[in-house]
């Protein structure tokens, strides 16, 4: 194999192991054994397990963010964009369950980037601008857009994680229920929300 071909082979092997077993349970020895190479070959290409994991995760992040960013590009109204973004995440889960499993597993200790939380934060920042524009049109305080963006993205992501292992519903059904809750919730927002269980001051 050429150097680039060997690198791709190691990424394929590592990706499968990380998806099946997680970061902690995967070893360089196992990666090398599955690829029929010696351990030094893995170190030569990636510097160790952390380096291999980082490249695998980066590729998954780019694939997921690419799909969601594309879904949010065309300005066709908030409802359509919400549907498209929801379907983009569910499409990724359906077409690449192994990749999604890698993203939702715990990242290595001390790694703040490349985690599923950081991916969701990036998606939420894109959604935030769309919500702010929608809120402005409706006379709702745009300062609350970041809160709603994270709530929406978190709701879709957690439902996606559940759907990964519980395929009782078809993808479009899951998306329709998510959009129904999100859209109807957004449509009925109070301009000054408060808790009924907390005395109003």
């Amino acid at each position: 194999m050429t150097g680039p071909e060997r690198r791709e082979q190691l990424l394929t092997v590592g990706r499968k192991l990380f998806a099946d077993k997680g970061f902690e349970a995967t070893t360089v020895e196992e990666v090398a054994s599955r690829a029929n190479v010696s351990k030094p070959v893995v170190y030569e290409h990636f510097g160790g397990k952390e380096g291999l994991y980082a490249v695998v995760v980066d590729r998954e992040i780019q694939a997921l963010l690419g799909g969601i960013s594309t879904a949010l590009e065309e300005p066709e109204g908030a409802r359509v964009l919400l549907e498209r973004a929801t379907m983009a995440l569910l499409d990724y889960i359906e077409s690449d369950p192994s990749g999604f499993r890698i993203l939702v597993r715990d990242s290595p200790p001390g790694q703040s980037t490349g985690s599923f939380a950081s991916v969701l934060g990036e998606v939420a920042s894109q959604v935030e601008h769309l919500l702010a524009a929608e809120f402005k049109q409706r006379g709702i305080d745009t300062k609350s857009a970041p809160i709603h963006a994270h709530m929406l993205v978190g709701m879709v992501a957690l439902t996606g994680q559940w759907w990964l292992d519980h395929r009782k519903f078809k993808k479009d059904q899951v998306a329709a229920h998510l959009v129904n809750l999100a859209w109807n919730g957004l449509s009925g927002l109070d301009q000054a929300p408060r808790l009924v269980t907390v005395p109003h001051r």
Side-chain angles (χ1 to χ4, degrees), residues 25 44 67 76 95 125-126 140-141 151 158 162 181 183 194:
E44 178 187 332
E76 292 192 41
S95 65
S125 69
Q126 294 181 44
I140 296 171
D141 186 3
M151 287 189 292
L158 281 174
W162 170 82
L181 177 60
W183 184 253
R194 68 182 186 88

Side-chain angles (χ1 to χ4, degrees), residues 2 31 35-36 42 45 68 70-71 86 96 108 113 121 148-149 174-175 180 184 193:
T2 65
V31 172
N36 292 315
V42 180
H45 282 278
I68 292 175
T70 300
T86 301
D96 197 356
T113 59
H148 289 91
V174 176
N180 182 38
N184 287 316

Side-chain angles (χ1 to χ4, degrees), residues 101-164:
R101 280 194 173 90
I102 290 169
L103 289 180
V104 298
R105 284 185 186 277
D106 292 336
S107 55
Q111 180 171 322
S112 58
T113 59
S115 67
F116 193 49
S118 68
V119 174
L120 296 185
E122 194 164 333
V123 174
S125 69
Q126 294 181 44
V127 172
E128 178 185 327
H129 300 295
L130 299 169
L131 284 178
E134 188 75 13
F135 284 5
K136 189 173 183 180
Q137 286 183 348
R138 295 177 182 219
I140 296 171
D141 186 3
T142 57
K143 290 178 188 172
S144 66
I147 301 171
H148 289 91
H150 280 84
M151 287 189 292
L152 280 173
V153 171
M155 178 178 74
V156 174
L158 281 174
T159 304
Q161 282 183 261
W162 170 82
W163 184 63
L164 180 64

